[in-house]
């Protein structure tokens, strides 16, 4: 999608009103209710993208067609809940070293445990979840994460979905079942293109 398009002619959603985010959207037509189709700038994958999530341009990184680091999230002030997603895409032989990639993922999320392995379409997922007490000693942050490996190529994705209270000084009610379902929906929507 042309990031220079006239915002007034586009859907009134964060994904299309933010110029940087809009540049990753394939079309202003929702492919599933509440979701657009996102295409990475490496051309390596597509996925569902929540219509009111915004990409963080400051933390975006891309190297040719073999590496891309993407961060996006959404805040709900009314419910005092925020989530973020971090995706690291690689298309190199190192993606075949599953143990190394799981150690890197575990270190990223401060996790020391086992992963559940499952096959979905042409990908293998190594999935786990974690919770941690935040520095205020009262609030918790929840993380759902996966290493996603293509069965057909050297493509792999480290996928992290985190959710917590937006304002840690105020209470929030996080529906963990709903958040885990959302995380898995985004993970499973990834389609490798090479």
């Amino acid at each position: 999608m042309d990031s220079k398009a006239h915002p007034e002619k586009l859907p009134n959603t964060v994904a299309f009103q933010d110029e940087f985010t809009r540049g990753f959207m394939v079309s202003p037509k929702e492919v599933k209710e509440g979701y657009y189709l996102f295409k990475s700038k490496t051309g390596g994958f597509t996925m569902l993208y929540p219509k009111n999530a915004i990409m963080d341009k400051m933390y975006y990184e891309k190297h040719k067609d073999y590496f891309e680091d993407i961060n996006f999230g959404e805040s709900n002030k009314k419910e005092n809940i925020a989530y973020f997603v971090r995706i690291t895409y690689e298309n190199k032989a190192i993606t075949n070293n599953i143990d190394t990639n799981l150690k890197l993922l575990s270190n990223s999320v401060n996790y020391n445990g086992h992963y559940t392995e499952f096959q979905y379409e042409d990908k293998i997922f190594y999935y786990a979840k974690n919770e941690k007490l935040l520095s205020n000693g009262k609030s918790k942050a929840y993380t759902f994460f996966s290493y996603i490996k293509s069965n057909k190529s050297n493509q792999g994705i480290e996928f992290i979905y985190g959710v917590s209270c937006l304002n840690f000084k105020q209470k929030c009610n996080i529906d963990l079942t709903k958040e885990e379902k959302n995380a898995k929906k985004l993970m499973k929507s990834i389609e490798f293109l090479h």
Side-chain angles (χ1 to χ4, degrees), residues 39-45 62 65 68 89 155 193-194:
K39 184 175 182 183
S40 73
K41 294 294 184 186
T42 59
F45 70 97
K62 176 184 169 293
D65 64 352
E68 195 167 15
Y89 166 84
Q155 294 173 292
L193 299 177
H194 296 287

Side-chain angles (χ1 to χ4, degrees), residues 124-157:
I124 297 176
F125 290 75
Y126 301 88
Y127 176 80
K129 54 188 174 180
N130 203 7
E131 68 178 60
K132 68 178 179 179
L133 195 60
L134 299 176
S135 58
N136 69 1
K138 297 176 186 173
S139 300
K140 288 185 179 179
Y142 303 92
T143 314
F144 308 96
F145 46 98
S146 187
Y147 185 69
I148 306 164
K149 178 66 184 84
S150 170
N151 287 335
K152 298 179 178 178
S153 69
N154 286 330
Q155 294 173 292
I157 285 180

Side-chain angles (χ1 to χ4, degrees), residues 167-180:
N167 179 347
F168 301 131
K169 294 177 183 174
Q170 297 174 4
K171 191 176 180 199
C172 71
N173 292 313
I174 297 172
D175 181 341
L176 290 179
T177 303
K178 176 183 157 198
E179 295 299 334
E180 184 171 20

Side-chain angles (χ1 to χ4, degrees), residues 26-43:
V26 172
S27 158
K29 186 175 186 310
E30 290 184 20
V31 291
K32 238 183 187 166
E33 187 177 341
Y35 296 91
Y36 298 115
L37 185 63
F38 168 100
K39 184 175 182 183
S40 73
K41 294 294 184 186
T42 59

